Amino acid sequence: MMRGEVSINKVRTGADQLAEIGSALLRGKRYGLLTNPTGIDAKYRSTIDMCAAFSEGKFTACFACEHGLRSEKQAGVQFEDELDPVYGVPVYSLYGSNRKPTAHMLSDLDVMIVDIQDLGVRFYTYLTTLIHVIEACAEHGVTLIVLDRPNPLGGNKIEGGFLNEQYRSMVGAWKMPMLTGMTIGEFARLVNGQRAAPCDLQVIPLIGWSREMEYPDTGLPWLMPSPNMPTIDTVRVYAGHCLFEGTNLSEGRGTTKPFELIGAPWLKGEQLCKVMNALQLPGVHFHPYTFTPMFSKHQGDLCHGIFTYVIDRKTYQSVETGLHLLHYVMALHDQHFEWLGKDLGYPFIDLLTGDNRVRLQLHESQGLTDIAEAWSRDSEQWRRIREPFLLYEE
Protein backbone atom coordinates (compact mmCIF):
# COMPACT_ATOMS: atom_id res chain seq x y z
CA MET A 1 0.00 0.00 0.00
CA MET A 2 1.38 3.41 -0.95
CA ARG A 3 1.59 6.19 1.61
CA GLY A 4 -1.69 8.05 1.91
CA GLU A 5 -3.84 5.16 0.67
CA VAL A 6 -6.68 3.90 2.84
CA SER A 7 -7.05 0.15 3.33
CA ILE A 8 -10.29 -1.41 2.09
CA ASN A 9 -12.26 -3.08 4.85
CA LYS A 10 -13.48 -6.59 4.21
CA VAL A 11 -16.73 -5.98 6.06
CA ARG A 12 -19.28 -3.17 5.97
CA THR A 13 -21.41 -2.65 9.06
CA GLY A 14 -24.91 -1.26 9.22
CA ALA A 15 -23.34 2.07 10.19
CA ASP A 16 -21.21 1.99 7.03
CA GLN A 17 -24.43 1.90 5.00
CA LEU A 18 -26.27 4.57 6.96
CA ALA A 19 -25.06 7.50 4.86
CA GLU A 20 -26.44 5.81 1.73
CA ILE A 21 -29.75 4.49 3.04
CA GLY A 22 -30.47 6.84 5.95
CA SER A 23 -32.45 9.36 3.96
CA ALA A 24 -34.83 6.72 2.66
CA LEU A 25 -35.22 5.12 6.09
CA LEU A 26 -35.70 8.34 8.03
CA ARG A 27 -37.42 10.73 5.64
CA GLY A 28 -40.28 12.45 7.44
CA LYS A 29 -39.57 10.53 10.65
CA ARG A 30 -38.69 11.56 14.18
CA TYR A 31 -35.88 9.32 15.35
CA GLY A 32 -33.64 8.60 18.31
CA LEU A 33 -30.37 6.73 18.63
CA LEU A 34 -29.03 4.25 21.19
CA THR A 35 -25.24 4.19 20.86
CA ASN A 36 -21.86 4.81 22.47
CA PRO A 37 -18.36 5.55 21.08
CA THR A 38 -18.36 2.24 19.16
CA GLY A 39 -21.06 3.74 16.93
CA ILE A 40 -18.73 4.72 14.09
CA ASP A 41 -18.32 3.71 10.48
CA ALA A 42 -15.16 2.57 8.71
CA LYS A 43 -14.27 6.20 8.00
CA TYR A 44 -14.44 6.96 11.75
CA ARG A 45 -17.62 9.01 11.41
CA SER A 46 -19.87 8.96 14.46
CA THR A 47 -23.37 7.57 14.05
CA ILE A 48 -24.55 10.46 16.22
CA ASP A 49 -23.10 12.96 13.74
CA MET A 50 -24.62 11.10 10.79
CA CYS A 51 -28.06 10.96 12.40
CA ALA A 52 -27.92 14.66 13.23
CA ALA A 53 -26.94 15.49 9.65
CA PHE A 54 -30.03 14.01 7.92
CA SER A 55 -32.21 16.94 6.89
CA GLU A 56 -35.12 14.79 5.71
CA GLY A 57 -36.11 13.79 9.26
CA LYS A 58 -35.84 15.07 12.83
CA PHE A 59 -33.19 13.83 15.27
CA THR A 60 -34.97 14.07 18.62
CA ALA A 61 -33.04 12.05 21.24
CA CYS A 62 -30.07 9.91 22.20
CA PHE A 63 -30.20 6.92 24.53
CA ALA A 64 -27.33 5.68 26.70
CA CYS A 65 -26.75 2.25 28.23
CA GLU A 66 -24.17 1.21 30.85
CA HIS A 67 -20.97 3.31 30.73
CA GLY A 68 -22.75 6.30 29.22
CA LEU A 69 -23.11 7.81 25.77
CA ARG A 70 -19.37 8.42 25.54
CA SER A 71 -18.17 5.52 27.75
CA GLU A 72 -17.19 7.97 30.44
CA LYS A 73 -18.52 5.88 33.34
CA GLN A 74 -17.04 2.80 34.98
CA ALA A 75 -18.89 -0.51 35.35
CA GLY A 76 -22.01 -0.37 37.48
CA VAL A 77 -22.09 3.44 37.76
CA GLN A 78 -25.69 4.59 37.42
CA PHE A 79 -26.57 7.93 35.85
CA GLU A 80 -29.62 9.94 34.89
CA ASP A 81 -30.89 11.88 31.87
CA GLU A 82 -28.94 14.86 30.58
CA LEU A 83 -28.80 17.22 27.60
CA ASP A 84 -26.34 16.54 24.82
CA PRO A 85 -23.96 19.52 24.74
CA VAL A 86 -23.35 19.26 20.97
CA TYR A 87 -26.80 18.78 19.47
CA GLY A 88 -29.02 19.91 22.32
CA VAL A 89 -31.17 16.76 22.30
CA PRO A 90 -32.03 14.86 25.47
CA VAL A 91 -29.81 11.90 26.35
CA TYR A 92 -32.06 9.39 28.08
CA SER A 93 -30.34 7.06 30.52
CA LEU A 94 -31.19 3.36 30.37
CA TYR A 95 -28.83 2.63 33.24
CA GLY A 96 -30.29 4.69 36.06
CA SER A 97 -33.79 5.03 37.44
CA ASN A 98 -35.08 3.54 34.19
CA ARG A 99 -33.65 0.48 32.48
CA LYS A 100 -36.35 0.43 29.83
CA PRO A 101 -37.46 3.36 27.65
CA THR A 102 -40.56 4.99 29.08
CA ALA A 103 -43.58 6.34 27.23
CA HIS A 104 -42.22 9.85 27.79
CA MET A 105 -38.85 8.97 26.26
CA LEU A 106 -40.52 7.51 23.17
CA SER A 107 -43.26 10.12 22.84
CA ASP A 108 -41.30 12.15 20.29
CA LEU A 109 -40.05 9.17 18.25
CA ASP A 110 -41.29 7.25 15.25
CA VAL A 111 -38.05 5.29 14.90
CA MET A 112 -35.40 4.04 17.33
CA ILE A 113 -31.95 3.28 15.86
CA VAL A 114 -29.48 1.01 17.67
CA ASP A 115 -25.80 1.08 16.80
CA ILE A 116 -23.55 -0.38 19.46
CA GLN A 117 -20.75 -2.93 19.50
CA ASP A 118 -21.76 -5.92 21.59
CA LEU A 119 -19.67 -8.94 22.62
CA GLY A 120 -22.28 -11.65 22.20
CA VAL A 121 -22.04 -12.38 25.95
CA ARG A 122 -25.19 -12.72 28.06
CA PHE A 123 -24.01 -10.75 31.08
CA TYR A 124 -22.53 -7.88 29.05
CA THR A 125 -25.45 -5.56 29.74
CA TYR A 126 -25.90 -4.16 26.23
CA LEU A 127 -27.98 -7.21 25.26
CA THR A 128 -30.26 -6.67 28.25
CA THR A 129 -30.74 -3.05 27.24
CA LEU A 130 -31.58 -4.17 23.71
CA ILE A 131 -34.20 -6.56 25.10
CA HIS A 132 -35.79 -3.69 27.03
CA VAL A 133 -35.74 -1.47 23.93
CA ILE A 134 -37.48 -4.17 21.87
CA GLU A 135 -40.17 -4.50 24.54
CA ALA A 136 -40.70 -0.73 24.74
CA CYS A 137 -40.83 -0.27 20.97
CA ALA A 138 -43.45 -3.01 20.72
CA GLU A 139 -45.56 -1.46 23.48
CA HIS A 140 -45.45 2.06 22.05
CA GLY A 141 -45.55 1.42 18.31
CA VAL A 142 -42.02 2.62 17.56
CA THR A 143 -40.09 1.11 14.66
CA LEU A 144 -36.72 -0.34 15.66
CA ILE A 145 -33.75 -0.28 13.27
CA VAL A 146 -30.64 -2.21 14.35
CA LEU A 147 -27.43 -1.42 12.50
CA ASP A 148 -25.69 -4.77 12.65
CA ARG A 149 -22.12 -5.22 13.83
CA PRO A 150 -19.88 -8.31 13.94
CA ASN A 151 -19.75 -10.57 16.94
CA PRO A 152 -16.08 -10.01 17.90
CA LEU A 153 -15.57 -13.77 18.46
CA GLY A 154 -17.26 -14.77 15.22
CA GLY A 155 -20.64 -16.41 14.84
CA ASN A 156 -19.89 -19.95 15.95
CA LYS A 157 -18.70 -19.61 19.57
CA ILE A 158 -21.50 -20.85 21.84
CA GLU A 159 -20.78 -21.72 25.46
CA GLY A 160 -22.44 -21.92 28.85
CA GLY A 161 -25.79 -22.87 30.28
CA PHE A 162 -29.21 -21.31 29.96
CA LEU A 163 -30.43 -18.57 32.26
CA ASN A 164 -33.02 -19.79 34.75
CA GLU A 165 -36.00 -17.42 34.63
CA GLN A 166 -35.81 -17.00 38.42
CA TYR A 167 -32.44 -15.25 38.04
CA ARG A 168 -33.37 -12.57 35.52
CA SER A 169 -31.41 -9.37 36.08
CA MET A 170 -29.46 -6.68 34.27
CA VAL A 171 -26.71 -9.26 33.67
CA GLY A 172 -29.13 -11.78 32.21
CA ALA A 173 -32.61 -11.17 30.84
CA TRP A 174 -33.25 -13.91 28.28
CA LYS A 175 -33.04 -17.69 28.18
CA MET A 176 -29.71 -18.04 26.41
CA PRO A 177 -26.20 -19.35 27.12
CA MET A 178 -23.27 -17.13 28.10
CA LEU A 179 -21.82 -16.93 24.59
CA THR A 180 -24.59 -16.47 22.02
CA GLY A 181 -22.77 -17.08 18.72
CA MET A 182 -24.90 -14.30 17.18
CA THR A 183 -24.48 -10.75 15.98
CA ILE A 184 -26.49 -8.09 17.77
CA GLY A 185 -28.83 -7.90 14.78
CA GLU A 186 -29.42 -11.65 14.80
CA PHE A 187 -30.04 -11.56 18.53
CA ALA A 188 -32.59 -8.77 18.06
CA ARG A 189 -34.38 -10.96 15.50
CA LEU A 190 -34.44 -13.89 17.94
CA VAL A 191 -35.80 -11.89 20.87
CA ASN A 192 -38.38 -10.17 18.69
CA GLY A 193 -39.35 -13.46 17.08
CA GLN A 194 -39.81 -15.19 20.43
CA ARG A 195 -42.01 -12.42 21.84
CA ALA A 196 -45.78 -12.82 21.77
CA ALA A 197 -46.09 -9.20 20.62
CA PRO A 198 -43.09 -8.27 18.45
CA CYS A 199 -42.10 -4.78 17.45
CA ASP A 200 -41.63 -3.49 13.91
CA LEU A 201 -37.96 -4.49 13.52
CA GLN A 202 -35.54 -3.92 10.66
CA VAL A 203 -31.93 -5.08 10.78
CA ILE A 204 -29.42 -3.52 8.40
CA PRO A 205 -27.18 -6.54 7.80
CA LEU A 206 -23.43 -6.74 7.52
CA ILE A 207 -21.92 -6.99 4.07
CA GLY A 208 -18.96 -9.31 3.57
CA TRP A 209 -19.04 -10.91 7.03
CA SER A 210 -18.85 -14.67 7.58
CA ARG A 211 -19.31 -16.56 10.83
CA GLU A 212 -15.71 -17.71 11.17
CA MET A 213 -14.43 -14.11 11.26
CA GLU A 214 -13.05 -12.71 14.50
CA TYR A 215 -13.06 -8.94 14.74
CA PRO A 216 -9.45 -8.50 13.52
CA ASP A 217 -10.40 -10.40 10.35
CA THR A 218 -12.97 -7.76 9.38
CA GLY A 219 -10.54 -4.88 8.85
CA LEU A 220 -12.87 -2.62 10.84
CA PRO A 221 -11.56 -0.07 13.36
CA TRP A 222 -11.73 -1.31 16.97
CA LEU A 223 -12.92 0.95 19.75
CA MET A 224 -13.29 -0.25 23.34
CA PRO A 225 -16.95 -1.28 23.83
CA SER A 226 -16.51 -0.38 27.52
CA PRO A 227 -13.70 1.00 29.68
CA ASN A 228 -12.40 -2.43 30.74
CA MET A 229 -12.62 -4.11 27.33
CA PRO A 230 -9.50 -2.71 25.62
CA THR A 231 -8.56 -5.44 23.12
CA ILE A 232 -9.77 -8.58 21.39
CA ASP A 233 -7.57 -10.51 23.83
CA THR A 234 -9.79 -9.22 26.63
CA VAL A 235 -12.92 -10.22 24.74
CA ARG A 236 -11.64 -13.78 24.24
CA VAL A 237 -11.28 -14.47 27.98
CA TYR A 238 -14.16 -12.33 29.23
CA ALA A 239 -17.02 -14.86 29.21
CA GLY A 240 -15.19 -17.23 31.55
CA HIS A 241 -13.12 -14.86 33.63
CA CYS A 242 -16.03 -12.51 34.31
CA LEU A 243 -17.25 -15.17 36.75
CA PHE A 244 -14.61 -13.84 39.14
CA GLU A 245 -16.68 -10.65 39.47
CA GLY A 246 -18.82 -12.74 41.80
CA THR A 247 -15.86 -13.56 44.07
CA ASN A 248 -13.38 -11.78 46.33
CA LEU A 249 -10.62 -12.12 43.72
CA SER A 250 -9.62 -9.24 41.49
CA GLU A 251 -10.63 -9.81 37.88
CA GLY A 252 -7.90 -7.40 36.81
CA ARG A 253 -9.95 -4.20 36.91
CA GLY A 254 -7.63 -1.34 37.71
CA THR A 255 -4.85 -2.82 35.57
CA THR A 256 -4.09 -2.57 31.85
CA LYS A 257 -5.06 -6.24 31.43
CA PRO A 258 -8.56 -6.60 32.90
CA PHE A 259 -9.93 -10.16 32.87
CA GLU A 260 -6.65 -11.53 31.50
CA LEU A 261 -5.29 -11.08 35.04
CA ILE A 262 -6.91 -12.83 38.00
CA GLY A 263 -5.54 -12.63 41.53
CA ALA A 264 -5.66 -11.73 45.22
CA PRO A 265 -3.13 -10.96 47.96
CA TRP A 266 -3.50 -14.52 49.27
CA LEU A 267 -3.58 -16.39 45.94
CA LYS A 268 -0.94 -19.08 45.33
CA GLY A 269 -0.28 -18.03 41.74
CA GLU A 270 2.54 -20.43 40.86
CA GLN A 271 0.78 -23.43 42.34
CA LEU A 272 -2.48 -22.54 40.59
CA CYS A 273 -0.70 -22.22 37.25
CA LYS A 274 0.88 -25.66 37.64
CA VAL A 275 -2.50 -27.20 38.42
CA MET A 276 -4.25 -25.46 35.54
CA ASN A 277 -1.55 -26.16 32.94
CA ALA A 278 -1.54 -29.83 33.94
CA LEU A 279 -5.20 -30.04 32.85
CA GLN A 280 -4.13 -29.27 29.27
CA LEU A 281 -7.32 -27.37 28.54
CA PRO A 282 -7.53 -26.56 24.82
CA GLY A 283 -5.91 -23.41 23.46
CA VAL A 284 -4.74 -21.86 26.74
CA HIS A 285 -1.65 -21.44 28.94
CA PHE A 286 -1.39 -19.88 32.40
CA HIS A 287 1.57 -17.96 33.80
CA PRO A 288 2.08 -16.54 37.32
CA TYR A 289 1.93 -12.77 37.55
CA THR A 290 1.93 -10.20 40.36
CA PHE A 291 -0.02 -6.95 40.01
CA THR A 292 -1.47 -4.04 42.00
CA PRO A 293 -4.95 -2.82 40.98
CA MET A 294 -5.29 0.96 40.87
CA PHE A 295 -9.04 0.75 41.53
CA SER A 296 -11.80 -1.79 42.18
CA LYS A 297 -11.18 -4.90 44.31
CA HIS A 298 -7.90 -4.97 46.27
CA GLN A 299 -7.12 -1.41 45.20
CA GLY A 300 -3.51 -0.61 46.07
CA ASP A 301 -2.79 -4.12 47.35
CA LEU A 302 -0.16 -6.43 45.88
CA CYS A 303 -2.02 -9.34 44.27
CA HIS A 304 -0.51 -12.67 43.38
CA GLY A 305 -2.23 -14.13 40.39
CA ILE A 306 -2.15 -15.60 36.94
CA PHE A 307 -2.10 -14.30 33.40
CA THR A 308 -4.11 -16.18 30.78
CA TYR A 309 -2.58 -16.66 27.35
CA VAL A 310 -4.94 -17.76 24.58
CA ILE A 311 -2.55 -19.70 22.35
CA ASP A 312 -5.15 -21.14 19.95
CA ARG A 313 -8.26 -19.00 19.58
CA LYS A 314 -10.11 -21.67 17.56
CA THR A 315 -9.92 -24.40 20.21
CA TYR A 316 -9.97 -22.18 23.31
CA GLN A 317 -13.20 -22.37 25.33
CA SER A 318 -13.54 -19.36 27.58
CA VAL A 319 -16.45 -20.51 29.73
CA GLU A 320 -15.10 -24.01 30.33
CA THR A 321 -11.70 -22.55 31.17
CA GLY A 322 -13.21 -20.06 33.61
CA LEU A 323 -15.27 -22.80 35.25
CA HIS A 324 -12.18 -24.98 35.82
CA LEU A 325 -10.16 -22.02 37.04
CA LEU A 326 -12.84 -21.09 39.57
CA HIS A 327 -13.04 -24.69 40.81
CA TYR A 328 -9.30 -24.95 41.47
CA VAL A 329 -9.08 -21.50 43.06
CA MET A 330 -11.68 -22.68 45.57
CA ALA A 331 -9.87 -25.98 46.10
CA LEU A 332 -6.54 -24.30 46.83
CA HIS A 333 -7.88 -21.40 48.89
CA ASP A 334 -10.90 -22.62 50.81
CA GLN A 335 -10.00 -20.49 53.86
CA HIS A 336 -9.82 -17.23 51.89
CA PHE A 337 -12.27 -17.63 49.02
CA GLU A 338 -15.66 -15.90 49.27
CA TRP A 339 -18.71 -15.26 47.11
CA LEU A 340 -19.79 -11.61 46.84
CA GLY A 341 -23.05 -9.75 46.33
CA LYS A 342 -25.34 -11.57 48.73
CA ASP A 343 -27.04 -8.24 49.42
CA LEU A 344 -28.42 -8.26 45.84
CA GLY A 345 -31.07 -10.84 46.70
CA TYR A 346 -28.96 -13.53 45.09
CA PRO A 347 -25.16 -13.84 45.27
CA PHE A 348 -23.75 -12.18 42.17
CA ILE A 349 -22.33 -15.46 40.86
CA ASP A 350 -25.91 -16.79 40.66
CA LEU A 351 -26.92 -13.82 38.51
CA LEU A 352 -23.86 -14.20 36.27
CA THR A 353 -24.26 -17.95 35.73
CA GLY A 354 -28.05 -17.89 35.66
CA ASP A 355 -28.70 -20.28 38.56
CA ASN A 356 -27.17 -21.47 41.84
CA ARG A 357 -25.37 -24.63 40.69
CA VAL A 358 -21.91 -23.06 40.47
CA ARG A 359 -22.13 -21.66 43.99
CA LEU A 360 -23.55 -24.86 45.51
CA GLN A 361 -21.81 -27.60 43.51
CA LEU A 362 -18.63 -26.34 41.84
CA HIS A 363 -16.38 -27.01 44.85
CA GLU A 364 -16.92 -30.75 44.28
CA SER A 365 -15.18 -32.61 41.44
CA GLN A 366 -18.44 -34.26 40.40
CA GLY A 367 -20.12 -30.85 40.55
CA LEU A 368 -17.59 -29.46 38.09
CA THR A 369 -18.24 -32.37 35.71
CA ASP A 370 -22.02 -32.18 36.04
CA ILE A 371 -22.15 -28.43 35.44
CA ALA A 372 -19.82 -28.59 32.43
CA GLU A 373 -21.88 -31.40 30.87
CA ALA A 374 -25.21 -29.63 31.51
CA TRP A 375 -23.89 -26.39 30.03
CA SER A 376 -22.64 -28.23 26.97
CA ARG A 377 -26.12 -29.69 26.40
CA ASP A 378 -27.68 -26.24 26.75
CA SER A 379 -25.21 -24.80 24.25
CA GLU A 380 -26.06 -27.42 21.66
CA GLN A 381 -29.76 -26.82 22.15
CA TRP A 382 -29.20 -23.08 21.68
CA ARG A 383 -27.35 -23.76 18.43
CA ARG A 384 -30.59 -25.21 17.07
CA ILE A 385 -32.87 -22.58 18.64
CA ARG A 386 -30.98 -19.67 17.11
CA GLU A 387 -30.81 -21.12 13.60
CA PRO A 388 -34.07 -19.62 12.17
CA PHE A 389 -32.95 -16.12 13.15
CA LEU A 390 -29.48 -16.14 11.61
CA LEU A 391 -28.72 -13.67 8.83
CA TYR A 392 -25.41 -15.20 7.78
CA GLU A 393 -24.85 -18.82 6.79
CA GLU A 394 -23.13 -21.28 9.09
Side-chain angles (χ1 to χ4, degrees), residues 380-392:
E380 287 308 306
Q381 185 178 349
W382 176 258
R383 193 175 296 276
R384 297 188 294 272
I385 289 171
R386 85 200 215 292
E387 188 173 352
F389 306 100
L390 300 183
L391 292 166
Y392 318 96

Side-chain angles (χ1 to χ4, degrees), residues 69-384:
L69 187 65
R70 292 176 172 83
S71 284
E72 71 276 17
K73 297 173 177 66
Q74 278 292 341
V77 175
Q78 299 189 34
F79 57 96
E80 299 304 326
D81 303 343
E82 57 188 8
L83 196 68
D84 183 74
V86 178
Y87 294 110
V89 298
V91 179
Y92 293 119
S93 170
L94 301 181
Y95 200 76
S97 302
N98 298 295
R99 301 297 172 96
K100 174 180 172 180
T102 65
H104 168 72
M105 294 176 184
L106 299 178
S107 63
D108 202 24
L109 267 71
D110 303 303
V111 176
M112 168 80 89
I113 304 167
V114 173
D115 182 33
I116 200 163
Q117 180 61 59
D118 178 57
L119 304 185
V121 179
R122 184 180 71 213
F123 37 70
Y124 202 61
T125 60
Y126 298 168
L127 288 184
T128 299
T129 297
L130 176 62
I131 293 167
H132 292 161
V133 166
I134 291 171
E135 292 173 350
C137 286
E139 291 167 3
H140 299 286
V142 174
T143 296
L144 177 61
I145 298 176
V146 176
L147 306 181
D148 209 4
R149 290 190 170 273
N151 184 318
L153 299 176
N156 298 316
K157 285 277 188 181
I158 299 174
E159 287 192 72
F162 285 134
L163 173 81
N164 185 318
E165 183 72 18
Q166 178 181 346
Y167 295 90
R168 282 174 62 102
S169 73
M170 197 65 197
V171 292
W174 205 259
K175 186 179 179 181
M176 56 179 169
M178 295 177 192
L179 281 174
T180 67
M182 305 181 82
T183 68
I184 191 168
E186 290 176 327
F187 182 73
R189 283 164 50 86
L190 180 142
V191 171
N192 202 48
Q194 290 183 340
R195 282 179 48 82
C199 72
D200 178 20
L201 170 67
Q202 182 174 356
V203 176
I204 308 303
L206 298 160
I207 297 174
W209 187 76
S210 56
R211 307 201 77 82
E212 71 275 6
M213 283 184 171
E214 268 202 350
Y215 203 91
D217 302 323
T218 66
L220 294 168
W222 172 263
L223 272 179
M224 296 187 297
S226 58
N228 289 287
M229 203 59 56
T231 69
I232 188 66
D233 294 321
T234 325
V235 179
R236 289 190 185 113
V237 303
Y238 173 70
H241 286 33
C242 185
L243 300 181
F244 284 90
E245 287 191 350
T247 76
N248 61 340
L249 280 79
S250 167
E251 65 277 6
R253 292 184 187 275
T255 76
T256 58
K257 292 291 182 180
F259 301 104
E260 294 178 83
L261 286 171
I262 301 293
W266 39 262
L267 193 78
K268 303 170 185 176
E270 292 193 11
Q271 184 178 355
L272 181 61
C273 285
K274 289 178 181 178
V275 170
M276 291 300 298
N277 287 328
L279 296 175
Q280 296 185 319
L281 297 173
V284 66
H285 178 80
F286 302 93
H287 193 77
Y289 197 89
T290 302
F291 61 96
T292 302
M294 300 304 292
F295 60 86
S296 195
K297 285 184 279 185
H298 302 299
Q299 177 180 352
D301 295 333
L302 188 67
C303 291
H304 307 290
I306 65 169
F307 188 86
T308 301
Y309 287 96
V310 177
I311 56 178
D312 185 344
R313 63 181 177 87
K314 292 185 178 180
T315 61
Y316 172 68
Q317 295 177 291
S318 177
V319 174
E320 181 180 354
T321 299
L323 197 63
H324 279 78
L325 183 56
L326 190 53
H327 169 81
Y328 286 102
V329 166
M330 287 192 288
L332 292 173
H333 306 89
D334 61 330
Q335 292 184 339
H336 294 95
F337 179 86
E338 295 178 2
W339 300 112
L340 300 182
K342 295 179 182 178
D343 57 331
L344 299 174
Y346 293 104
F348 195 48
I349 189 65
D350 294 6
L351 300 181
L352 287 170
T353 58
D355 63 28
N356 61 13
R357 285 180 295 177
V358 166
R359 179 170 53 86
L360 298 181
Q361 301 175 25
L362 187 61
H363 60 286
E364 301 172 349
S365 295
Q366 189 59 45
L368 171 62
T369 300
D370 290 346
I371 292 168
E373 290 178 351
W375 284 6
S376 179
R377 290 192 296 270
D378 285 352
S379 294
E380 287 308 306
Q381 185 178 349
W382 176 258
R383 193 175 296 276
R384 297 188 294 272

